[in-house]
Amino acid sequence: EFKDDNIFAVTELIRRGVSTKELHEKTMITEYFLKAFENIVKMENKIKENKGDLEVLKEAKKMGFSDKYIAKLWETSEIEVYNTESRTA
């Protein structure tokens, strides 16, 4: 049975290292869909590991990450993310 919080649970399992193949076998969610979640988790990690990096910021924004979420991952304020982004304008 699908519940609204299933997506969050699946994403957390990917963060904890559960493979998309194993998740597919247990949930029957298509591997293509699970790979999309895996890509989001990989980008989260890339953002965390590259605080203040303009190129990573651009890539994250193209994927749809908000300034607020990037700020959380960078452990800074939204305004700092905005200021980093606006340096290219």
Side-chain angles (χ1 to χ4, degrees), residues 29-76:
I29 298 171
T30 65
E31 287 190 68
Y32 178 82
F33 194 63
L34 292 169
K35 288 286 183 188
F37 284 109
E38 185 177 56
N39 289 337
I40 292 168
V41 170
K42 285 179 181 178
M43 178 52 74
E44 284 178 336
N45 292 331
K46 189 172 183 178
I47 294 167
K48 285 180 196 175
E49 294 166 2
N50 295 280
K51 294 177 183 174
D53 186 297
L54 184 57
E55 292 306 311
V56 172
L57 175 59
K58 287 179 186 178
E59 192 177 345
K61 295 297 284 184
K62 281 182 185 175
M63 283 187 72
F65 284 83
S66 69
D67 287 352
K68 185 174 185 174
Y69 194 63
I70 294 167
K72 178 182 173 189
L73 296 173
W74 279 358
E75 300 172 331
T76 191

Side-chain angles (χ1 to χ4, degrees), residues 4-36:
D4 291 342
D5 61 352
N6 287 2
I7 291 171
F8 296 105
V10 167
T11 306
E12 185 59 31
L13 288 167
I14 292 170
R15 284 185 189 111
R16 294 177 184 210
V18 177
S19 72
T20 55
K21 183 178 180 181
E22 185 178 350
L23 285 169
H24 167 69
E25 290 169 358
K26 301 282 185 192
T27 65
M28 298 310 292
I29 298 171
T30 65
E31 287 190 68
Y32 178 82
F33 194 63
L34 292 169
K35 288 286 183 188

